[in-house]
């Protein structure tokens, strides 16, 4: 069995959702890279009894390492170091060298705030220099140091105490891993491999049937740790395994290819966004969207260098905007309706012309909550991808989908459908 770890995220602001936890997922990825098996992530507020309860729980889970984040500041609700020291049966002692370093940092910060009582601030920050006896101090990135408390047979696992702000926690993590206590705690780690397959156009139930059959037919299936996730209409299958079980993963991948070859679009973990960005190299893309509030344009431009292939986008909700900005004939809208395949194609053609592009994506639909009809219920969305080659008329790929969910679901799923249509068109798959 590999070394095992648990994470305690502290902070009432995180517990109540005012601040999103970024540390738990980030630390989980770092542990995976080290070959450490993450058993639990727990979350609690800034209350002594609750912090104690999380430490007791994790210490009883046969772990080698516990990592805490948050609660290292100078205020009264910052109590993680104190609770960890008490849990480990260690006295809090003043580290005078650390106190001097913190004072230097605080003095520099206070220079920007004239009129602040520097002595009072230094006194408040003095508590950050109190560390458990025998702990290793991790130099502060902000004003709060971290600590590593070595594990003992009597108390339990080694505990790494890190600050809450990700900009402080992340650079401090490498220092923590380099300490003798952490290296000893994770000495039994196992090198895991992790592979990701991504699919589009397959219901989760279809994948579940395939995995049930694979459980019966694939030798060593029980040694594969498989996690599936449905997100924005895509299926993500993450498989974690030890190197000696690579043959079992190869068998599983062969089953997935045989059953769902058309739906698999990535076997190396790359996202559709990454693939589309690569396929657009040397091309000039324009976007015309209605019902998606500019989300597709935002998604396409949410990466460095996107200006090299995205010329621009138009979000046109009203019929007048479609006519004025994209050149869609008003008679076409009157005849077929704003949500129709002919209008989607006209929007794509208009985007090509307006931006001097050779590639265009158009979306027009009914995201809700009102506005649907019996023929075109809420969730009806028409898509067109247009590709112009060598000055010839554009080749159009058009489809209509009825997408489930509320307004935000329809919008998000629409951008995913559009991305996959664009990918297929650029690959020449139609």
């Amino acid at each position: 069995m590999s070394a095992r770890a648990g994470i305690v995220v502290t902070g009432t602001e995180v517990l109540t959702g005012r601040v999103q936890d970024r540390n738990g997922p980030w630390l989980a990825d770092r542990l995976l890279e080290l070959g450490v098996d993450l058993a639990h992530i727990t979350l609690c507020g800034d209350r002594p009894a609750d912090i104690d309860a999380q430490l007791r729980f994790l210490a009883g889970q046969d772990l080698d390492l516990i990592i805490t984040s948050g609660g290292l500041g100078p205020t009264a609700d910052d109590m993680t170091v104190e609770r960890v020291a008490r849990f480990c049966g260690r006295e809090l002692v003043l580290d005078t060298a650390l106190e001097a370093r913190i004072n230097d940092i605080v003095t520099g910060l206070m220079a920007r705030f004239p009129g602040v009582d520097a002595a009072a601030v230094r006194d408040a920050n003095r508590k950050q220099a109190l560390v458990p006896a025998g702990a290793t101090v991790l130099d502060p990135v902000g004003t709060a140091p971290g600590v590593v408390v070595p594990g003992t047979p009597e108390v339990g696992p080694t505990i790494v105490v890190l600050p809450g702000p990700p900009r402080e926690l992340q650079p401090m993590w490498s220092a923590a891993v380099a300490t003798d206590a952490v290296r000893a705690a994770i000495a039994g780690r196992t090198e895991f491999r992790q592979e990701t397959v991504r699919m589009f156009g397959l219901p989760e139930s279809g994948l579940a049937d395939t995995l049930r059959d694979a459980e019966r037919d694939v030798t060593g299936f029980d040694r594969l740790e498989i996690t599936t996730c449905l997100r924005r209409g895509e299926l993500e299958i993450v498989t974690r395994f030890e190197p000696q079980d690579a043959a079992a993963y190869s068998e599983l991948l062969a089953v997935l290819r045989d059953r769902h070859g058309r739906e698999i679009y990535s076997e190396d973990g790359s996202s559709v966004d990454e693939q589309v960005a690569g396929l657009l190299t040397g091309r000039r893309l324009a976007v015309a969207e209605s019902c998606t509030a500019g989300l597709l344009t935002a998604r396409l431009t949410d990466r460095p260098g996107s200006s090299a292939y995205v010329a621009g986008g138009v979000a046109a909700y009203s019929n007048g905007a479609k006519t004025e900005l994209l050149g869609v004939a008003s008679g076409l809208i009157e005849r077929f309706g704003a949500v129709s395949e002919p209008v989607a194609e006209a929007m794509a053609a208009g985007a090509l012309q307006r931006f001097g592009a050779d590639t265009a994506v158009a979306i027009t639909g009914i995201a809700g909550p009102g506005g649907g009809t019996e023929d075109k219920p809420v969730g009806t969305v028409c898509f067109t991808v247009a590709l112009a080659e060598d000055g010839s008329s554009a080749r159009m790929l058009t489809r209509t989908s009825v997408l489930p969910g509320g307004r935000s679901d329809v919008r998000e799923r629409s951008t995913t459908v559009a991305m996959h249509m664009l990918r297929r068109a650029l690959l020449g798959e139609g």
Side-chain angles (χ1 to χ4, degrees):
M1 180 184 292
S2 177
R4 284 164 48 87
I7 298 170
V8 183
V9 178
T10 70
T12 302
E13 71 282 2
V14 182
L15 181 66
T16 58
R18 296 197 308 274
V19 174
Q20 182 179 6
D21 172 37
R22 293 166 51 196
N23 292 332
W26 189 88
L27 288 167
D29 284 342
R30 303 293 78 73
L31 290 168
L32 174 63
E33 292 170 354
L34 290 171
V36 176
D37 187 20
L38 176 61
H40 300 277
I41 298 180
T42 69
L43 181 62
C44 70
D46 298 306
R47 294 179 288 268
D50 293 337
I51 296 173
D52 294 349
Q54 305 312 306
L55 295 172
R56 285 196 304 270
F57 166 72
L58 291 177
Q61 300 302 306
D62 192 25
L63 303 182
D64 303 285
L65 185 67
I66 295 174
I67 306 162
T68 74
S69 76
L72 304 191
T75 59
D77 62 338
D78 293 313
M79 60 187 73
T80 305
V81 171
E82 175 193 344
R83 303 320 300 177
V84 168
R86 183 184 294 267
F87 178 78
C88 295
R90 295 175 183 254
E91 181 185 359
L92 276 178
V93 295
L94 179 66
D95 185 322
T96 55
L98 177 60
E99 182 183 20
R101 287 202 298 276
I102 295 172
N103 283 340
D104 289 342
I105 294 169
V106 172
T107 299
L109 292 173
M110 289 304 100
R112 293 180 288 174
F113 302 97
V116 173
D117 186 343
V121 173
R122 283 195 299 269
D123 288 343
N125 280 280
R126 189 171 187 263
K127 74 175 286 233
Q128 295 177 295
L130 293 170
V131 299
T136 299
V137 174
L138 304 173
D139 286 340
V141 177
T143 63
V147 296
V148 177
V149 183
T152 64
E154 297 78 21
V155 176
T158 293
I159 302 179
V160 178
V161 183
L162 300 174
R167 67 181 181 279
E168 297 180 24
L169 176 144
Q170 293 179 10
M172 198 179 286
W173 170 247
S174 58
V177 172
T179 63
D180 291 340
V182 172
R183 292 171 69 87
I186 64 175
R189 64 193 182 192
T190 300
E191 179 189 355
F192 287 100
R193 282 182 56 187
Q194 181 169 293
E195 301 289 346
T196 301
V197 173
R198 299 184 190 277
M199 299 184 185
F200 179 71
L202 178 71
E204 207 168 7
S205 58
L207 176 61
D209 288 341
T210 297
L211 291 178
R212 278 192 290 270
D213 291 343
E215 184 176 10
R216 181 192 64 226
D217 299 334
V218 171
T219 304
F221 182 90
D222 60 325
R223 295 193 296 275
L224 303 176
E225 183 180 311
I226 303 170
T227 304
T228 63
C229 178
L230 178 64
R231 183 165 45 215
R232 293 198 300 193
E234 296 181 331
L235 276 172
E236 177 185 84
I237 305 98
V238 178
T239 307
R240 187 169 177 249
F241 54 93
E242 296 185 26
Q244 63 264 32
D245 297 317
Y249 178 72
S250 295
E251 280 191 51
L252 172 65
L253 185 57
V255 171
L256 294 175
R257 287 170 177 164
D258 180 59
R259 296 279 189 92
H260 310 298
R262 179 171 174 79
E263 289 79 19
I264 293 174
Y265 74 87
S266 172
E267 295 182 5
D268 61 2
S270 60
S271 66
V272 67
D273 302 61
E274 292 167 332
Q275 293 184 15
V276 164
L279 291 168
L280 284 170
T281 300
R283 304 190 71 93
R284 185 173 173 83
L285 173 71
V287 181
E289 48 190 319
S290 175
C291 91
T292 44
L295 289 179
L296 180 60
T297 302
R299 184 168 173 177
L300 284 161
T301 55
D302 188 23
R303 62 183 54 251
S306 59
S307 58
Y309 51 81
V310 178
V314 171
Y317 270 75
S318 71
N319 293 343
K322 292 180 177 68
T323 298
E324 183 176 348
L325 299 175
L326 295 168
V328 179
S330 58
L332 192 70
I333 297 174
E334 292 172 4
R335 180 179 178 188
F336 295 101
V339 179
S340 63
E341 293 189 356
V343 168
E345 292 181 349
M347 289 170 63
L352 287 175
Q353 183 175 6
R354 183 177 183 85
F355 292 101
D358 54 33
T359 308
V361 182
I363 306 174
T364 180
I366 307 168
T373 65
E374 185 175 347
D375 292 336
K376 297 177 182 178
V378 170
T380 301
V381 186
C382 302
F383 304 86
T384 292
V385 174
L387 301 178
E389 306 289 352
D390 302 324
S392 61
S393 59
R395 176 168 62 91
M396 300 276 189
L397 173 64
T398 302
R399 63 174 285 188
T400 299
S401 297
V402 180
L403 304 175
R407 181 188 295 274
S408 61
D409 297 315
V410 172
R411 285 175 168 176
E412 283 202 352
R413 286 175 180 269
S414 293
T415 65
T416 299
V417 172
M419 292 294 284
H420 281 279
M421 286 183 63
L422 180 56
R423 173 185 172 275
R424 286 185 174 277
L426 292 169
L427 288 171
E429 295 180 359

